[in-house]
């Protein structure tokens, strides 16, 4: 009895830390999971929140912060850019009034030409800053993809999907690199060419320039759509082909371990499954965090480009009521340029989104 | 309304008088037309104040000064001057002078906006 009491009293001295907790952090560091958070700026970290690998990531809170930030950014952009839209309408109104009272049709045409030059000069600075903001966002998305995608696919490989994770990772990296450089080297120059043709058409009305403009617009839209569709199809097919092989391999390994080792085989097999599940939790946590981070990255440019596009479409609609067709067309073309830049940034954001989703959806045990 | 009524009355009176004296003294008829035109233009000067106010509002909204709106106002003034001069020359059966005035007016108007077009062409060059 005394011995039993003695053992019970001394037993708290032998309580020690469970090292499995530290193993999760070590595994996450080995997979580079924390890069997913450290690559972000302070503003983006504020929206995304803290990365939690135990499945307690506050996704709802992050989405609420994202929505609030979007509303604030849209409000700021509206206040900044409403003046531009009003300026354009004022210039259009002034030119149409002068043209209407001008007794000579040729002079009215020269006045309209002058109005188009004024509008182009008013919008040129705006255009430059937005194009560089769009390029900066593409670079940021590319840099973030280099941090997030290896981390998520490494965690996916740890969770048992060795074949599919490596196949999809190779596919995603190749596709993202090719597509992002194609956008920077091909789509952006096409957008600039469209703008140059639009300005030339407004000054020197010419049916050939009309056809050139339509061709550029069609090319840009088709290239962006084709890139996004091909990327999604490629990722989906790669995932389908490689996914089933991993499921078979993991089941076979479990059966082999349980069968070969007489007593502890089942325990080992269950422990291995637990480890794979833990790796899967890490992967899903990092994936969810990355999805919100990508939205936070794209938020600023989306708001800026989207608001300008809508305001300039409104200004084009207002000047369409005046007898200054060229001015209204030019403002509409500038709105189209902002829409194309938005499409370019949006397609890169969507591709990164799809890559991360593919990593999260990789077969789990 | 009063101004336009007086303008119409003056124009019609000058036309009738011009028809009467044209056959005997075409030079006097020409001078009568010129003085009628000047009188009518002077009577419409107060309306230009409204345009000036509109221009000031546009400048205030656009935040840019006469650099942009100035050339357009000059083009407008040129178009008025060119049209009236060409018509007076045509009335005096001098179509060659009328055509030359029209061409000169168009060239002057285009030269007003050439600095704007040069800036645009430089911008296009930078873009491409």
């Amino acid at each position: 009895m005394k011995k039993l009491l003695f053992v019970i009293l001394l037993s708290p001295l032998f309580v020690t830390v469970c090292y499995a907790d530290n193993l999760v952090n070590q595994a996450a560091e080995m997979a580079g999971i924390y890069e997913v958070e450290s690559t972000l700026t302070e503003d983006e970290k504020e929206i995304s929140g803290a990365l939690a690998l135990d499945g307690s990531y506050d996704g709802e809170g992050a989405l609420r912060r994202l929505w609030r930030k979007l509303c604030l950014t849209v409000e700021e952009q509206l206040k900044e850019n409403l003046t531009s839209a009003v300026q354009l309408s004022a210039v259009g109104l002034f030119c149409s009034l002068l043209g209407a009272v001008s007794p000579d049709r040729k002079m009215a045409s020269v006045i309209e030409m002058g109005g188009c030059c004024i509008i182009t000069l008013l919008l040129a600075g705006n255009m430059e800053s937005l194009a560089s903001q769009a390029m900066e966002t593409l670079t940021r998305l590319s840099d973030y993809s280099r941090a997030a995608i290896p981390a998520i696919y490494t965690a996916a490989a740890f969770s048992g999907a060795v074949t599919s994770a490596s196949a999809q990772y190779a596919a995603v990296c190749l596709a993202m690199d090719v597509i992002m450089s194609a956008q920077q080297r091909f789509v952006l120059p096409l957008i600039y060419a469209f703008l140059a043709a639009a300005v030339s058409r407004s000054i020197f009305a010419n049916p050939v320039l009309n056809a050139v403009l339509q061709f550029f617009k069609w090319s840009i839209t088709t290239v962006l759509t084709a890139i996004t569709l091909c990327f999604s199809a490629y990722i989906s097919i790669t995932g389908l082909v490689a996914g089933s092989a991993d499921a078979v391999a993991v089941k076979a390994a479990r059966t082999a371990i349980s069968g070969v080792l007489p007593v502890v085989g089942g325990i080992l097999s269950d422990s291995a499954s637990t480890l794979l599940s833990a790796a899967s939790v890490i992967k899903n946590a990092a994936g969810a965090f990355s999805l919100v981070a990508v939205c936070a990255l794209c938020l600023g440019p989306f708001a800026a480009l989207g608001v300008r596009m809508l305001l300039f479409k409104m200004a084009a609609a207002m000047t369409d009521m005046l007898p200054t067709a060229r001015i209204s067309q030019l403002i509409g073309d500038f709105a189209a340029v902002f829409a194309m830049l938005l499409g370019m940034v949006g397609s890169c954001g969507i591709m990164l989104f799809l890559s991360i989703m593919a990593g999260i959806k990789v077969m789990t045990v | 309304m009063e101004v336009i009524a007086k303008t119409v009355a003056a124009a019609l009176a000058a036309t009738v008088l011009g028809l009467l004296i044209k056959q005997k003294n075409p030079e006097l008829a020409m001078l009568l037309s010129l003085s009628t035109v000047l009188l009518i233009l002077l009577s419409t000067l107060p309306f230009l104040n409204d345009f000036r106010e509109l221009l000031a509002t546009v400048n205030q909204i656009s935040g840019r000064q006469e650099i942009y709106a100035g050339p357009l106002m000059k083009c407008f003034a040129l178009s008025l001057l060119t049209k009236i001069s060409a018509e007076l020359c045509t009335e005096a059966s001098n179509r060659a002078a009328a055509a030359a005035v029209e061409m000169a007016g168009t060239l002057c108007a285009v030269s007003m906006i050439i600095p704007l077009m040069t800036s645009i062409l430089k911008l296009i060059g930078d873009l491409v």
Side-chain angles (χ1 to χ4, degrees):
Chain A
M1 191 59 192
K2 276 185 191 171
K3 275 184 191 170
L4 184 61
L5 205 59
F6 187 67
V7 164
I8 291 168
L9 282 171
L10 283 179
S11 59
L13 290 172
F14 296 100
V15 170
T16 183
V17 176
C18 173
Y19 288 103
D21 193 34
N22 285 342
L23 283 176
V24 171
N25 286 329
Q26 278 177 21
E29 268 171 36
M30 275 171 60
I33 296 288
Y34 292 112
E35 292 292 312
V36 155
E37 192 181 14
S38 60
T39 320
L40 299 174
T41 61
E42 287 308 316
D43 286 340
E44 288 153 7
K45 277 182 196 169
E46 205 186 303
I47 297 172
S48 317
L51 174 63
L53 299 176
D54 56 359
S56 64
Y57 176 62
D58 182 19
E60 204 184 305
L63 288 173
R64 251 186 269 121
R65 286 189 295 274
L66 199 62
W67 173 250
R68 212 177 310 132
K69 182 73 179 170
L70 177 68
C71 294
L72 282 171
T73 315
V74 164
E75 200 185 315
E76 265 170 39
Q77 291 293 328
L78 272 172
K79 281 181 191 160
E80 270 178 38
N81 295 293
L82 204 54
T83 319
S84 294
V86 170
Q87 277 176 17
L88 299 177
S89 308
V91 171
L93 177 67
F94 184 67
C95 291
S96 71
L97 270 174
L98 280 183
V101 298
S102 175
D104 192 1
R105 286 294 95 209
K106 268 186 274 180
M107 290 298 190
S109 176
V110 171
I111 288 170
E112 207 178 345
M113 214 188 286
C116 292
C117 293
I118 290 169
I119 283 170
T120 307
L121 289 172
L122 282 174
L123 292 178
N126 220 326
M127 176 66 210
E128 268 308 308
S129 72
L130 278 177
S132 33
Q133 195 180 11
M135 286 311 302
E136 214 180 282
T137 307
L138 289 188
T139 312
R140 285 278 291 126
L141 284 171
S142 176
D143 292 341
Y144 191 71
S145 71
R146 287 197 187 99
I149 289 175
I152 291 168
Y153 281 95
T154 309
F158 282 176
S159 70
V162 177
T163 316
S164 54
S166 44
Q168 280 201 301
Y169 174 65
V172 161
C173 283
L174 175 68
M176 290 286 285
D177 266 342
V178 165
I179 287 162
M180 287 214 179
S181 35
Q183 297 234 356
Q184 287 173 353
R185 286 177 196 185
F186 190 65
V187 177
L188 192 63
L190 266 181
I191 292 176
Y192 279 135
F194 174 87
L195 183 60
V199 169
S200 307
R201 177 182 69 169
S202 70
I203 297 172
F204 315 106
N206 190 327
V208 174
L209 283 173
N210 278 340
V212 166
L213 216 57
Q214 291 306 316
F215 171 71
F216 280 144
K217 196 171 182 180
W218 174 85
S219 306
I220 292 164
T221 318
T222 308
V223 165
L224 286 175
T225 313
I227 280 173
T228 314
L229 283 175
C230 291
F231 182 83
S232 335
Y234 184 47
I235 297 300
S236 309
I237 291 168
T238 318
L240 279 171
V241 167
S244 46
D246 286 318
V248 169
V250 166
K251 278 206 171 105
R254 265 196 200 148
T255 313
I257 292 170
S258 322
V260 162
L261 299 169
V263 175
V264 299
I267 300 168
L268 274 175
S269 166
D270 288 343
S271 306
S273 296
T274 310
L275 280 173
L276 295 180
S277 303
S280 181
V281 168
I282 293 173
K283 176 198 69 169
N284 292 342
F289 181 88
S290 302
L291 289 175
V292 176
V294 167
C295 294
L297 269 171
C298 296
L299 191 114
F302 261 56
L305 289 167
V307 164
R308 275 179 177 81
M309 179 191 77
L310 289 171
L311 284 176
F312 286 9
K313 278 194 184 288
M314 261 170 45
M318 275 166 55
T319 48
D320 210 23
M321 294 186 284
L322 308 166
T324 44
R326 283 195 274 178
I327 288 178
S328 155
Q329 220 169 38
L330 179 64
I331 299 172
D333 288 339
F334 268 98
V337 166
F338 293 134
M340 286 172 204
L341 286 173
L342 185 63
M344 195 173 79
V345 171
S347 71
C348 284
I350 284 172
M351 284 186 290
L352 186 51
F353 216 79
L354 288 174
S355 311
I356 294 169
M357 286 295 297
I360 294 172
K361 277 159 61 175
V362 153
M363 183 233 61
T364 53
V365 178
Chain B
M1 199 62 196
E2 201 183 296
V3 171
I4 195 69
K6 286 180 183 170
T7 308
V8 166
L12 286 173
T15 308
V16 168
L17 275 171
L19 281 171
L20 284 171
I21 61 176
K22 196 172 183 172
Q23 285 165 1
K24 296 244 172 90
N25 206 334
E27 298 86 12
L28 215 58
M30 170 72 182
L31 285 170
L32 181 65
S33 295
L34 186 59
S35 48
T36 312
V37 163
L38 285 171
L39 211 69
I40 291 171
L41 284 176
L42 282 169
S43 69
T44 55
L45 273 178
F47 294 121
L48 283 178
N49 286 331
D50 295 332
F51 266 102
R52 242 181 267 132
E53 275 171 28
L54 176 65
L55 178 59
T57 311
V58 168
N59 277 337
Q60 200 182 17
I61 291 170
S62 69
R64 304 282 189 143
Q65 306 310 315
E66 304 72 38
I67 300 166
Y68 295 139
L72 295 185
M73 285 300 285
K74 285 178 191 167
C75 282
F76 172 64
L78 266 175
S79 80
L80 272 179
L81 211 60
T82 311
K83 184 72 177 176
I84 290 168
S85 312
E87 290 296 322
L88 283 171
C89 292
T90 308
E91 208 180 291
S93 308
N94 196 347
R95 286 176 196 256
V101 161
E102 275 178 359
M103 198 173 74
T106 309
L107 283 172
C108 281
V110 170
S111 73
M112 294 286 169
I113 62 166
I114 275 176
L116 289 175
M117 284 167 70
T118 313
S119 313
I120 301 291
L121 289 170
K122 276 187 194 152
L123 181 75
I124 293 174
D126 288 340
L127 286 177
V128 172

